[in-house]
Amino acid sequence: MSALLQRIRGIVGSAGVITAAGDLASYATDWRKRYIGLPLAVVRPASTDEVAQVVRACADSRTAIVPQGGNTGLCGAATPDASGTQIVLNLSRMNRIREVDARNNTMTAEAGCVLASLQEAAEEAGRLFPLSLAAEGSCEIGGNLSTNAGGTAVLRYGNARELVLGLEVVLPSGEVWEGLRALRKDNTGYDLKQLFIGAEGTLGVITAAVLKLFPLPKSHATAVVAVQNPEKALALLERALEGCGERLTGFELFSDSCLALVLKHFRDTAAPFPRRFPHYVLMELSDTQSGEGVRALVENVLEAALEEKNILDAAVAQNETQARAFWKLREFISEAQAHEGPNIKHDVSIPISRIADFISATDRELARAHAGVRLVTFGHLGDGNLHYNVSAPEGLAPDVFVKNTAAVNRLVHDSVARFGGSISAEHGLGQLKRDEIQRYKSPLELELMRKLKRALDPHGIMNPGKVL
Amino acid sequence: MSALLQRIRGIVGSAGVITAAGDLASYATDWRKRYIGLPLAVVRPASTDEVAQVVRACADSRTAIVPQGGNTGLCGAATPDASGTQIVLNLSRMNRIREVDARNNTMTAEAGCVLASLQEAAEEAGRLFPLSLAAEGSCEIGGNLSTNAGGTAVLRYGNARELVLGLEVVLPSGEVWEGLRALRKDNTGYDLKQLFIGAEGTLGVITAAVLKLFPLPKSHATAVVAVQNPEKALALLERALEGCGERLTGFELFSDSCLALVLKHFRDTAAPFPRRFPHYVLMELSDTQSGEGVRALVENVLEAALEEKNILDAAVAQNETQARAFWKLREFISEAQAHEGPNIKHDVSIPISRIADFISATDRELARAHAGVRLVTFGHLGDGNLHYNVSAPEGLAPDVFVKNTAAVNRLVHDSVARFGGSISAEHGLGQLKRDEIQRYKSPLELELMRKLKRALDPHGIMNPGKVL
């Protein structure tokens, strides 16, 4: 093994190879601290050529590689196993924005660029890079693409996959596939970039990408809306899409139990209405037109919905401060939940038309099987994506309750499958759902995935033990 | 061979198998009449199960299959060779819309559905299916997806690939991959549907798809704008995107030579302005808001552009009739060209920021190498996609001129490559550009494509001689 490390030091320099136990820890543990690995070394290359040489060295010695970006993933895809034999290939030093081409509405960025820095670079060029998610201050674009990240603007702009025009990828052989095309249309054969997006580093290492930029919105409107139940939220979604179309960029749902947690744990938050309601919707609109048009539009939609008694109350933010206060109610939910101790999390998607039925059916089943559980349901309703989290019943210690994880997962995921949904909407499979997915995908589909894996990575050195 | 046909007749019935020479012709020739094949038979299954059984029968006997939809492709991908050994698998009988789910904004359609019928079904449900192209009255969605069709609304809604949530595919083994998910988010492993979209039937047979629907626009604005050159058209595009954002659904460029041809060959067309200008832009905006807002918006953008002297003149359609008249000027170009006899066509894309430079550089080179050629340049400028067509010099018979096709292609495509473009933007490779692409893709990329082909179709029975 030391021959390999010696070769790698020759490629990236001694400073680019970390082997001291104390220094490894932060790279060897995932963000949620569910997985604690032990790598042979963490290697931090500074260029595509260095990545290629390192991968070739690993390929020659059949050493497993775990690609890693900002290490903010939620399913352990970027965490090595504990064997002490895997190389963590951390891309953070590859953080150059190679080009911003405002007229082409594209930006070419290396894998290690922090998402927030890409948002800023786009804005400086008078453009929007719309990918936006909780970890944006530390997650990196290579990881975002490898997990096909979602976030809060998918409704309008799509998932990470939809934001990519081209990729540069180091293949498991150490060869570099130069696919950095900056074209909106290219029908010259198989669209190879699609293979690597969302593959969680199991087919190659994304080193750079050409990303789509959009016109910068010049006005926003944010509203919190109280609704009786998810069904009413869906009716509002339908109306909002019909009335606002492409201006609707976010449509988030959260239950009153979520609001209660946020109000309890964050002193600087306030309930949006004088009284409480069963569920809330957070709506965000944006427009390239400046002025009050978009706020008037959302007010029209909400007035009509009030008249039809589809919603119970509504508050439209009157300024940026109020809009941010509304967003906190949604964004702080995960953290508020963490303060209560562990819970059983799900990241699921359902056809939007069936999501209300899914929630009520699954709530019912859970109550029957696990009496007293508290449901902390929130998510990107506009995308059909729920973070359907289950907390301990009153009086039961969370640490004890989470021993039911397997049983609760089974119940929830079986329900998801019955409703034609997915057990991982935006987080990926990683290590966390690698076994679970075997139950929900057909043997044929799993075999197709394995065929692709074998075709591209015949020695199985790219992120083994993840996804498949 | 007759054993195979007997088996297939047992699957689809005698009426579903065509072998009479006279009946074969329309299936054996491509739309542009460039390729004339001779199949063993044309088979017309009526269900996914029949497709699967037919493919299995062909797999057992290692018989090549040529999937075919409306047979409107422009690169010969759906035309069999002349060996008399290939089976044309025509999907036209599979033309059922299985479901329209307005609240999920999806529609599940079989491969043989004619595109226009899908547009109509969406509109009946109060939704838009935005894929739109010249052949929409006869092309079929299976072919649209297999060629990742483009068309006139890509700027706003993306290519066919972006309009798909799920697929049902008969694999080369005859197994059916059931991937008909109706989800906006699904990160459970490799996104297999991406393999089959744009693969031109070389990896499997698409039998059905879940398609995205959008809110129905309630207002439109159409304008023709005169500009000095493509560079000025690009400046207008940038302004229009900044000012109109997602409302801009179409941005087409055509030169005065295109207009001259349309006016010459179509009596019911009229020049948009009292005098002629070097180039024209056709702009289309749409909005989910009804009323005059979108027309006022385009007028603002055009007034500002006139003041800045970026454009020379502009006409905004005052009603639907005038809007249709403007669109005819763009839509009739291909047919007007055909009336002049054959020409040398290119379907290329270029990064939008470089497209003006591409046009002037390539025009110059062509004039030098082929004195007197007439350039008929038009296309979807908003997508960076040009139909850069080259006609015979005055006085030279078109039939004689097109003998220069290989040389002209070489010159144009080499120029495309220098500008980082693609030699097939929206039409695919088929038979037409199968050899040509070898020059422009890296050996590594071609080998990756071959690896995928071998992994999915080890016996090479799916549409051999196309793409790869």
Side-chain angles (χ1 to χ4, degrees):
Chain A
M1 281 303 179
S2 77
L4 173 65
L5 289 187
Q6 203 170 341
R7 182 169 166 193
I8 291 176
R9 280 197 188 91
I11 299 164
V12 299
S14 288
V17 181
I18 301 169
T19 51
D23 299 336
L24 289 177
S26 69
Y27 301 95
T29 308
D30 76 307
W31 192 78
R32 280 190 178 154
K33 312 244 181 301
R34 261 195 272 229
Y35 301 101
I36 299 173
L38 176 66
L40 174 64
V42 174
V43 178
R44 293 164 52 84
S47 68
T48 304
D49 182 55
E50 287 185 10
V51 174
Q53 289 189 58
V54 170
V55 171
R56 193 177 294 266
C58 291
D60 287 346
S61 58
R62 304 283 191 265
T63 303
I65 298 166
V66 182
Q68 186 179 79
N71 198 17
T72 62
L74 298 176
C75 298
T79 311
D81 70 16
S83 66
T85 63
Q86 301 187 321
I87 293 284
V88 170
L89 190 67
N90 183 288
L91 280 286
S92 302
R93 285 174 70 201
M94 285 194 64
N95 61 357
R96 213 160 46 89
I97 296 175
R98 293 187 190 165
E99 187 188 23
V100 177
D101 183 347
R103 183 166 270 184
N104 197 39
N105 282 304
T106 52
M107 170 164 69
T108 307
E110 292 182 347
C113 291
V114 170
L115 175 53
S117 74
L118 297 180
Q119 296 165 344
E120 285 158 23
E123 196 163 340
E124 275 166 32
R127 296 291 185 269
L128 175 74
F129 181 59
L131 188 65
S132 177
L133 44 93
E136 62 196 26
S138 47
C139 66
E140 296 170 9
I141 191 68
N144 297 146
L145 300 183
S146 295
T147 57
N148 185 27
T152 54
V154 173
L155 178 59
R156 164 70 184 86
Y157 297 100
N159 296 290
R161 181 183 300 280
E162 275 91 37
L163 303 176
V164 183
L165 293 180
L167 285 185
E168 176 186 88
V169 178
V170 175
L171 302 173
S173 59
E175 294 167 295
V176 180
W177 173 55
E178 210 290 83
L180 282 178
R181 277 151 224 159
L183 303 171
R184 307 268 153 181
K185 286 179 167 176
D186 178 22
N187 278 345
T188 54
Y190 308 151
D191 192 1
L192 297 175
K193 66 176 179 289
Q194 305 292 350
L195 281 171
F196 304 102
I197 300 169
E200 304 186 40
T202 61
L203 298 178
V205 184
I206 295 174
T207 50
V210 180
L211 304 166
K212 283 191 205 169
L213 302 179
F214 293 82
L216 202 56
K218 297 188 197 72
S219 62
H220 294 266
T222 309
V224 177
V225 186
V227 292
Q228 187 63 40
N229 51 45
E231 173 62 29
K232 295 290 187 185
L234 286 179
L236 177 64
L237 172 63
E238 193 166 4
R239 277 308 172 91
L241 280 170
E242 285 171 2
C244 311
E246 43 289 306
R247 295 173 188 83
L248 190 66
T249 53
F251 197 93
E252 303 283 317
L253 176 76
F254 54 99
S255 63
D256 193 57
S257 60
C258 301
L259 178 63
L261 285 176
V262 169
L263 297 176
K264 177 179 167 189
H265 291 286
F266 293 92
R267 285 291 162 94
D268 63 334
T269 57
F273 304 108
R275 54 162 291 212
R276 301 282 280 275
F277 296 98
H279 287 85
Y280 308 92
V281 164
L282 178 69
M283 281 172 70
E284 174 87 13
L285 282 81
S286 66
D287 199 332
T288 49
Q289 285 288 291
S290 56
E292 300 297 304
V294 74
R295 207 202 294 174
L297 193 57
V298 74
E299 283 168 355
N300 286 348
V301 167
L302 294 175
E303 268 167 36
L306 266 173
E307 269 173 37
E308 291 168 5
K309 301 203 192 307
N310 266 326
I311 64 175
L312 302 173
D313 203 346
V316 179
Q318 296 304 307
N319 51 50
E320 186 60 26
T321 310
Q322 211 175 355
R324 267 202 302 270
F326 286 172
W327 268 106
K328 282 182 186 172
L329 301 178
R330 164 65 183 84
E331 286 170 350
F332 287 179
I333 297 171
S334 286
E335 209 178 322
Q337 260 205 309
H339 286 300
E340 296 277 306
N343 59 74
I344 304 173
K345 294 180 187 301
H346 306 93
D347 165 42
V348 304
S349 65
I350 308 288
I352 293 167
S353 50
R354 305 186 72 188
I355 208 162
D357 292 342
F358 163 79
I359 293 173
S360 55
T362 316
D363 284 3
R364 235 179 2 250
E365 277 189 70
L366 271 174
R368 207 158 39 218
H370 303 272
V373 290
R374 287 174 296 180
L375 299 162
V376 183
T377 303
F378 62 100
H380 315 293
L381 190 69
D383 315 318
N385 177 192
L386 290 180
H387 300 303
Y388 185 89
N389 293 351
V390 184
S391 287
E394 196 87 45
L396 180 60
D399 293 329
V400 176
F401 174 65
V402 294
K403 292 187 176 139
N404 296 301
T405 296
V408 170
N409 281 348
R410 174 60 49 93
L411 188 155
V412 172
H413 290 164
D414 279 2
S415 182
V416 165
R418 273 196 301 280
F419 280 88
S422 162
I423 67 161
S424 183
E426 58 175 7
H427 295 166
L429 297 175
Q431 308 181 41
L432 182 66
K433 296 181 181 170
R434 184 198 177 206
D435 293 331
E436 189 79 351
I437 197 63
Q438 303 283 326
R439 180 175 170 86
Y440 300 104
K441 280 208 193 284
S442 67
L444 178 67
E445 180 154 345
L446 290 166
E447 181 50 27
L448 277 171
M449 285 171 57
R450 281 190 291 263
K451 272 185 186 166
L452 293 177
K453 172 73 174 172
R454 285 193 298 264
L456 288 167
D457 181 21
H459 304 304
I461 64 164
M462 289 305 311
N463 216 4
K466 316 296 165 57
V467 181
L468 276 168
Chain B
M1 282 300 180
S2 77
L4 173 66
L5 289 186
Q6 203 169 342
R7 183 169 165 191
I8 290 176
R9 280 197 188 92
I11 299 164
V12 300
S14 289
V17 181
I18 301 169
T19 52
D23 299 336
L24 288 178
S26 70
Y27 301 95
T29 308
D30 76 309
W31 191 79
R32 280 191 177 153
K33 313 244 182 298
R34 261 194 272 230
Y35 302 101
I36 299 172
L38 177 66
L40 174 64
V42 174
V43 178
R44 293 165 52 85
S47 68
T48 304
D49 182 55
E50 286 184 11
V51 175
Q53 289 189 58
V54 171
V55 171
R56 194 177 294 266
C58 291
D60 286 346
S61 60
R62 303 283 190 267
T63 303
I65 298 166
V66 181
Q68 186 179 78
N71 199 17
T72 62
L74 299 175
C75 297
T79 311
D81 70 16
S83 65
T85 64
Q86 300 187 322
I87 293 285
V88 169
L89 189 66
N90 183 288
L91 280 286
S92 302
R93 285 175 72 201
M94 285 195 64
N95 61 357
R96 213 161 46 91
I97 297 176
R98 293 187 190 165
E99 187 189 23
V100 178
D101 183 347
R103 183 167 269 185
N104 196 41
N105 282 304
T106 52
M107 170 163 69
T108 306
E110 293 183 346
C113 290
V114 170
L115 175 54
S117 73
L118 297 181
Q119 296 165 345
E120 285 159 21
E123 196 164 341
E124 275 168 31
R127 297 292 184 270
L128 174 75
F129 181 59
L131 188 66
S132 177
L133 43 93
E136 62 196 25
S138 47
C139 66
E140 296 171 8
I141 191 67
N144 297 147
L145 299 183
S146 294
T147 57
N148 185 26
T152 54
V154 173
L155 178 58
R156 164 69 184 86
Y157 298 100
N159 297 289
R161 181 183 300 280
E162 275 91 38
L163 303 176
V164 183
L165 293 181
L167 285 184
E168 177 187 88
V169 177
V170 174
L171 301 174
S173 60
E175 294 166 295
V176 181
W177 174 55
E178 208 290 84
L180 281 178
R181 278 153 223 156
L183 302 170
R184 308 269 152 179
K185 286 180 167 176
D186 177 21
N187 277 345
T188 53
Y190 309 152
D191 192 2
L192 298 174
K193 67 176 179 289
Q194 305 292 350
L195 281 171
F196 304 102
I197 300 169
E200 304 186 41
T202 61
L203 299 178
V205 184
I206 294 174
T207 49
V210 180
L211 304 166
K212 282 190 206 168
L213 303 178
F214 293 82
L216 203 56
K218 296 187 197 74
S219 62
H220 295 266
T222 310
V224 177
V225 185
V227 292
Q228 188 62 40
N229 52 45
E231 174 62 29
K232 294 290 187 186
L234 286 180
L236 178 64
L237 172 62
E238 193 167 3
R239 276 309 172 91
L241 280 171
E242 285 172 359
C244 311
E246 43 290 306
R247 295 174 187 83
L248 189 67
T249 53
F251 196 94
E252 304 283 316
L253 176 78
F254 54 98
S255 64
D256 194 56
S257 60
C258 301
L259 179 63
L261 285 176
V262 170
L263 297 176
K264 177 178 169 190
H265 291 285
F266 294 90
R267 285 291 163 94
D268 62 337
T269 57
F273 304 108
R275 55 162 290 212
R276 301 283 279 275
F277 296 98
H279 286 85
Y280 307 92
V281 164
L282 178 70
M283 282 173 71
E284 174 87 14
L285 281 81
S286 65
D287 200 331
T288 48
Q289 284 289 290
S290 55
E292 300 296 305
V294 74
R295 205 201 297 173
L297 193 57
V298 75
E299 283 168 355
N300 286 346
V301 167
L302 294 174
E303 269 167 35
L306 266 173
E307 269 174 37
E308 291 167 6
K309 302 203 192 306
N310 266 326
I311 64 175
L312 303 172
D313 204 347
V316 179
Q318 296 303 306
N319 50 51
E320 186 60 26
T321 309
Q322 211 176 355
R324 268 202 302 269
F326 286 171
W327 268 105
K328 283 183 185 171
L329 302 178
R330 165 65 183 84
E331 286 169 350
F332 288 178
I333 296 171
S334 285
E335 208 178 322
Q337 259 206 309
H339 286 300
E340 297 276 307
N343 59 74
I344 304 174
K345 292 180 189 303
H346 306 94
D347 165 41
V348 304
S349 65
I350 308 288
I352 293 166
S353 50
R354 306 186 71 188
I355 207 161
D357 292 342
F358 163 80
I359 292 173
S360 55
T362 315
D363 284 3
R364 238 182 355 253
E365 277 189 69
L366 271 173
R368 207 157 39 216
H370 303 273
V373 289
R374 287 173 297 181
L375 298 163
V376 184
T377 303
F378 62 100
H380 316 294
L381 191 67
D383 316 317
N385 178 192
L386 290 180
H387 300 302
Y388 186 90
N389 294 349
V390 184
S391 286
E394 196 85 46
L396 181 60
D399 294 329
V400 177
F401 173 65
V402 293
K403 293 185 176 143
N404 296 301
T405 296
V408 170
N409 282 348
R410 174 59 50 92
L411 188 154
V412 172
H413 290 164
D414 278 1
S415 182
V416 165
R418 274 196 300 280
F419 280 88
S422 163
I423 67 161
S424 182
E426 58 175 7
H427 295 167
L429 296 175
Q431 307 181 41
L432 182 66
K433 296 180 182 172
R434 183 198 176 205
D435 293 331
E436 188 81 350
I437 197 63
Q438 303 283 326
R439 180 175 171 86
Y440 301 103
K441 278 207 195 284
S442 66
L444 178 67
E445 180 154 346
L446 291 166
E447 180 51 26
L448 277 172
M449 285 170 56
R450 281 190 291 264
K451 274 185 184 166
L452 293 177
K453 173 74 173 171
R454 284 194 298 265
L456 288 167
D457 181 21
H459 304 303
I461 64 165
M462 289 306 310
N463 216 3
K466 317 294 166 58
V467 181
L468 276 169

